Amino acid sequence: MRRGIVVLMVVVGFVLQATAFFFLAAPLGTPTAVRFSEPRLPFAPLLFIVGIMLVFSAALVYELLPDRGADEG
Amino acid sequence: MTRYGMVVDLDRCMGCRACMEACKVENATPESSFFMYVFRFEHGEYPASRVSFLPRPCMHCDNAPCVKVCPVGARYKREDGIVATDWDRCIGCRYCEVACPYGVNSFNWKDPDEAQYLDWVGAAVTTEDGSTPPYRNPALDEEYGPEHRKIAGGGHVQGVMEKCTFCVHRVEDGLDPACAQTCPVRALMFGDLDDPDSVPSKALRERESFTLLEAAGTEPRVHYVGGSPPSEDARQVDAPEVRV
Amino acid sequence: MVTRNVTLPQQAGRSPSGWYATIAVLVALIALGIYAYSRELSEGMAVTGMRNIGPMGGATWGLYITFVVYFVGLSFAGISTAAVIRLARIDRLRPISRMAELLTVITLALAGLAILADLGQPLRGIVNLFRYARPQSPFFGTFTLVISGYLFASLVYLYLDGRRDAWLSEQTAERHLGFYRLWAAGYRDTPAERERHDRATFWLAIAIVPLLVTAHSTLGFVFGLQVGRPGWFSALQAPAFVILAGVSGLGMLAIIAAAVRRWLHREEELTVAIFRWLSTALTILLLTYLYLVVVELLTNLYTGSSRERDVMSELLFGEYAWIYWGAVGTFVIALVLLLVRAALPSLRSAVWPVVAVGGLVNLGAIGKRYLIVVPSQTKGTLLPYDEGSYTPAWTEFALIIGLIALGVLAYLLFTRYFPIVELPRPATSEEKEAR
């Protein structure tokens, strides 16, 4: 259960980063028009950072989340 | 597709710098900014020395390094070719300034109202309508373009960047930039480089031209006809006093 | 002698001599920095020595950006040391792990503050960066990966790595129990918990290493991709940034470790072996960095464009020569000191040479960072403007000194209330029985 959450957080985090970087923030390429300087979604960089934080928060969850299971000593 | 550019005729330019003055008045730039800048060069050693002049506006490059590095998209390239600076979005990081190979950018080092040649606030002389000289064109504070961004003129806010705008506030009304309008010898030809009948296009077709720093790969839209690029031994004389 | 197994660096209620005086000095320096910044906010950045490039003949990036790069460089070695210790399982280096993590966290925060100090519109900067930041700009990497991502990752690492010591402190301290309990967050020191902690921090370390290499490379790209600045446009910028970051960071770590060893009496845990490891790592990195310096020198002198050669000759023989040769000199002296230390048996167990090296390479790194930032602006215009000049104003010095004082204060406060050296594991019940 905990492991599932952790893996999910890591995957969602990376997907969020990739999506925000390539599809939601300003497009890459030689700037020839206004759109190269505008994010496709406002606050896309914030989403990118949230993605990074999700990935690293997975470690926090892994260590801190009590697992309803057998591995308590 | 309109793609604005400029052709500078170096055979005509006589270094009078009327364009620099007109630009400054039109755009209300503080003491530290010269959007249009005219080099006066001396080459060679006396008695075999000679003088040349080189007007240098912003190049409005097609592969502009300043646009690429702007972290927040305040510096952007319009479809009509003008490279604009949104003074409402600019965070003053000055990355565009260090990235520009031509040195066309200026930063507002202090409150622009206190950085003018004359005391802007509380001047002793007022006009009939109550405005306080020097006169500042209110059109500079408006939004321009289909993108509705604040990109005209200079001297707006402390802590933001500015540079030559090809007088976008005039161009959108079908006028020429102030420098081209004012030049007494018509050395500055502004127009649509994609239109084969425009004055600059014809000049480019009929004469050999060069651009500055071609090797840098910036693809500038300001071309020079007549004259030649600054030589290795060119050095400035009569440099204008630029101060904060 | 009080058993030191589970005691804090400072017993509650007792401050070391000179503590309050030190704090007072640091606070005064910070106040001066704040005052300098307030002048900058109200009068504009005209109060600094920075001016426009080109017609104005100045440098528009100066001391602030120099120290942004320097602080980010220091942060590199911090967490990478902690990661290496964890991944390569070099257990004998664990005593410096937390010092390294703390160094990273604090210097990254300082770097962020230094960037803010350099912005003409700092409040806009905070909002607009989150809202509009463009991936194409190298600053995107600096803002998201370095300041936001890397700082967060290091905080998580510092937090998780400190839970056990928080739990131990909670049991033996007399004050601040709530703080320790909060940090420990239910830690119970069972074998299962320890194993989970090991695994979590192991994977965290693996995740952090590529992040920090990318982050430092994008900082190098901020400079290295600029075709318009002779002296900057070079493929070597990114790797040189990373290597010099390692050099200065490890050097600072050596200084901190020696200080903790001396003033907190940690000779037992902070063994000479640790300093020997630091000096080996420093030697390798210094050799690599000097190699890069030579490569850059030869390339620019042999066949660079005339502008590149102009900038290089200013560095070697002109206005900046004293900084260039000073910096290179510190690196060479540091390298010689390290090699001599390795060769002479009498010095091999001495700590002071490594501390001296740490001081030297940090001075050199500051100088080198300054040389990366400034000369290409004042002497490196591609169009024939007049030569420029830049001298930092008192506000810039005051602000930087204030930032450094802030970093030192934060470090000292942490050391006062939390074990800076990992507490040894108290004997488990099985081990006690075995005795």
Side-chain angles (χ1 to χ4, degrees):
Chain A
M1 166 69 180
R2 185 184 62 224
R3 190 164 254 177
I5 296 180
V6 166
V7 168
L8 188 67
M9 283 176 79
V10 172
V11 168
V12 169
F14 276 117
V15 165
L16 198 54
Q17 284 179 58
T19 312
F21 188 94
F22 289 109
F23 301 111
L24 297 178
L28 300 165
T30 304
T32 50
V34 183
R35 64 189 181 87
F36 288 96
S37 300
E38 287 292 308
R40 282 161 280 200
L41 180 72
F43 290 102
L46 181 60
L47 282 178
F48 181 82
I49 292 171
V50 166
I52 300 177
M53 289 183 171
L54 258 182
V55 170
F56 288 104
S57 301
L60 275 173
V61 165
Y62 184 70
E63 239 199 76
L64 296 179
L65 197 66
D67 201 29
R68 275 174 255 99
D71 68 347
E72 303 302 74
Chain B
M1 180 88 223
T2 318
R3 300 286 280 182
Y4 290 119
M6 186 182 275
V7 175
V8 181
D9 190 342
L10 292 178
D11 286 342
R12 291 192 177 200
C13 176
M14 50 174 180
C16 68
R17 290 178 165 160
C19 51
M20 281 178 72
E21 296 236 16
C23 168
K24 184 161 276 293
V25 170
E26 179 68 34
N27 291 294
T29 52
E31 287 183 88
S32 51
S33 302
F34 285 96
F35 289 359
M36 172 56 102
Y37 185 85
V38 179
F39 286 98
R40 288 178 182 169
F41 290 132
E42 187 182 74
H43 311 255
E45 294 298 322
Y46 181 83
S49 60
R50 60 182 181 90
V51 197
S52 73
F53 312 108
L54 185 74
R56 184 237 73 204
C58 166
M59 301 287 143
H60 294 272
C61 308
D62 278 342
N63 185 23
C66 62
V67 176
K68 288 198 273 199
V69 299
C70 179
V72 293
R75 175 66 57 87
Y76 64 98
K77 175 108 176 151
R78 291 160 38 120
E79 280 85 349
D80 66 1
I82 294 180
V83 174
T85 316
D86 184 348
W87 53 268
D88 211 25
R89 189 189 287 194
C90 176
I91 63 175
C93 72
R94 312 186 297 292
Y95 200 177
C96 54
E97 188 174 349
V98 298
C100 176
Y102 304 95
V104 309
N105 289 280
S106 302
F107 180 67
N108 281 285
W109 296 99
K110 52 193 204 195
D111 184 349
D113 287 342
E114 288 169 26
Q116 299 287 340
Y117 294 96
L118 298 177
D119 190 3
W120 199 275
V121 178
V125 180
T126 52
T127 58
E128 279 167 11
D129 64 359
S131 67
T132 309
Y135 178 71
R136 183 193 165 84
N137 185 354
L140 298 180
D141 298 325
E142 318 241 314
E143 294 176 350
Y144 290 93
E147 68 269 11
H148 296 293
R149 305 275 288 274
K150 298 196 172 158
I151 55 177
H156 294 280
V157 177
Q158 175 180 304
V160 300
M161 294 297 302
E162 57 191 32
K163 68 164 184 67
C164 159
T165 62
F166 269 170
C167 284
V168 61
H169 59 287
R170 290 174 58 94
V171 166
E172 288 204 358
D173 274 347
L175 301 170
D176 267 351
C179 53
Q181 175 92 12
T182 300
C183 179
V185 292
R186 309 261 174 108
L188 303 173
M189 297 171 265
F190 177 84
D192 180 0
L193 293 184
D194 276 4
D195 172 9
D197 294 326
S198 70
V199 173
S201 296
K202 285 203 214 135
L204 282 181
R205 268 205 310 277
E206 291 160 11
R207 302 167 68 176
E208 267 185 44
S209 64
F210 66 90
T211 55
L212 289 178
L213 303 179
E214 205 152 331
T218 51
E219 299 172 38
R221 299 193 69 76
V222 173
H223 302 260
Y224 295 86
V225 294
S228 50
S231 56
E232 271 307 310
D233 69 336
R235 51 206 177 268
Q236 269 199 101
V237 292
D238 291 339
E241 187 185 333
V242 185
R243 56 179 190 231
V244 156
Chain C
M1 189 77 222
V2 180
T3 53
R4 290 220 296 263
N5 262 354
V6 288
T7 52
L8 294 176
Q10 303 302 329
Q11 297 293 346
R14 265 189 10 216
S15 299
S17 59
W19 174 259
Y20 289 108
T22 311
I23 300 291
V25 167
L26 291 172
V27 168
L29 289 174
I30 294 170
L32 189 61
I34 293 176
Y35 173 68
Y37 188 56
S38 73
R39 292 254 60 74
E40 185 180 298
L41 283 177
S42 65
E43 288 171 42
M45 298 188 73
V47 302
T48 67
M50 296 184 277
R51 294 292 181 263
N52 288 326
I53 300 174
M56 217 166 171
T60 195
W61 277 0
L63 207 64
Y64 295 154
I65 297 290
T66 301
F67 275 88
V68 168
V69 179
Y70 173 67
F71 287 141
V72 174
L74 284 182
S75 75
F76 175 91
I79 208 72
S80 66
T81 308
V84 161
I85 292 172
R86 175 66 63 170
L87 295 175
R89 301 202 186 282
I90 312 180
D91 279 340
R92 67 169 182 279
L93 289 178
R94 295 208 41 170
I96 57 170
S97 182
R98 184 159 309 127
M99 273 177 246
E101 296 155 28
L102 188 62
L103 178 67
T104 291
V105 167
I106 290 180
T107 47
L108 279 178
L110 292 185
L113 288 175
I115 291 180
L116 274 185
D118 190 60
L119 290 182
Q121 290 273 346
L123 289 177
R124 266 195 210 178
I126 294 173
V127 175
N128 287 356
L129 280 171
F130 283 110
R131 187 171 175 169
Y132 295 118
R134 297 174 58 250
Q136 193 183 38
S137 171
F139 263 168
F140 185 86
T142 307
F143 166 61
T144 57
L145 295 177
V146 178
I147 303 299
S148 305
Y150 185 24
L151 178 56
F152 182 76
S154 305
L155 274 169
V156 168
Y157 195 94
L158 179 66
Y159 172 76
L160 288 180
D161 215 40
R163 280 181 71 220
R164 191 186 135 269
D165 284 355
W167 173 73
L168 285 170
S169 307
E170 185 198 349
Q171 298 181 341
T172 59
E174 292 149 31
R175 300 205 308 206
H176 316 297
L177 293 176
F179 168 61
Y180 299 124
R181 202 171 302 135
L182 198 61
W183 190 320
Y187 183 80
R188 267 190 330 285
D189 210 32
T190 59
E193 182 113 23
R194 279 200 291 271
E195 200 208 315
R196 204 167 10 133
H197 169 78
D198 275 345
R199 218 179 299 144
T201 44
F202 180 82
W203 287 105
L204 197 49
I206 286 195
I208 286 184
V209 171
L211 176 65
L212 65 90
V213 171
T214 321
H216 282 80
S217 300
T218 58
L219 194 56
F221 288 146
V222 166
F223 298 87
L225 299 179
Q226 299 321 312
V227 70
R229 289 264 77 77
W232 282 12
F233 188 56
S234 156
L236 275 187
Q237 291 280 18
F241 264 59
V242 174
I243 302 289
L244 188 54
V247 169
S248 57
L250 283 180
M252 185 58 73
L253 199 51
I255 296 176
I256 294 174
V260 167
R261 184 173 193 266
R262 154 81 80 89
W263 287 318
L264 296 181
H265 307 293
R266 299 307 235 211
E267 293 86 354
E268 217 175 275
E269 297 105 323
L270 298 176
T271 60
V272 174
I274 290 178
F275 290 92
R276 217 174 290 153
W277 182 90
L278 281 173
S279 65
T280 310
L282 271 168
T283 310
I284 296 173
L285 286 174
L286 259 179
L287 278 169
T288 314
Y289 187 69
L290 284 173
Y291 167 65
L292 292 176
V293 168
V294 169
V295 167
E296 177 197 52
L297 197 59
L298 290 178
T299 307
N300 283 340
L301 284 182
Y302 188 94
T303 183
S305 75
S306 71
R307 294 293 177 212
E308 300 271 354
R309 277 206 307 273
D310 284 347
V311 175
M312 198 76 230
S313 63
E314 281 291 336
L315 290 181
L316 296 178
F317 314 114
E319 192 180 315
Y320 300 100
W322 68 276
I323 308 181
Y324 186 84
W325 292 114
V328 170
T330 60
F331 294 134
V332 169
I333 294 175
L335 185 62
V336 166
L337 198 50
L338 286 171
L339 294 173
V340 162
R341 179 182 187 271
L344 288 184
S346 53
L347 281 183
R348 229 174 274 155
S349 14
V351 167
W352 71 263
V354 194
V355 176
V357 162
L360 283 170
V361 300
N362 270 280
L363 281 177
I366 293 175
K368 212 56 177 63
R369 301 312 196 183
Y370 185 85
L371 290 178
I372 292 172
V373 173
V374 175
S376 292
Q377 298 175 68
T378 51
K379 315 291 181 191
T381 52
L382 288 176
L383 290 183
Y385 296 105
D386 292 340
E387 263 191 17
S389 70
Y390 163 68
T391 313
W394 78 266
T395 47
E396 294 167 90
F397 284 116
L399 201 147
I400 294 296
I401 290 173
L403 278 179
I404 294 176
L406 183 62
V408 172
L409 181 65
Y411 215 97
L412 284 179
L413 286 177
F414 184 93
T415 322
R416 175 95 162 81
Y417 294 106
F418 202 83
I420 193 69
V421 178
E422 230 176 57
L423 297 171
R425 190 159 59 86
T428 60
S429 46
E430 297 93 342
E431 289 170 355
K432 281 196 192 127
E433 257 184 49
R435 291 210 198 118

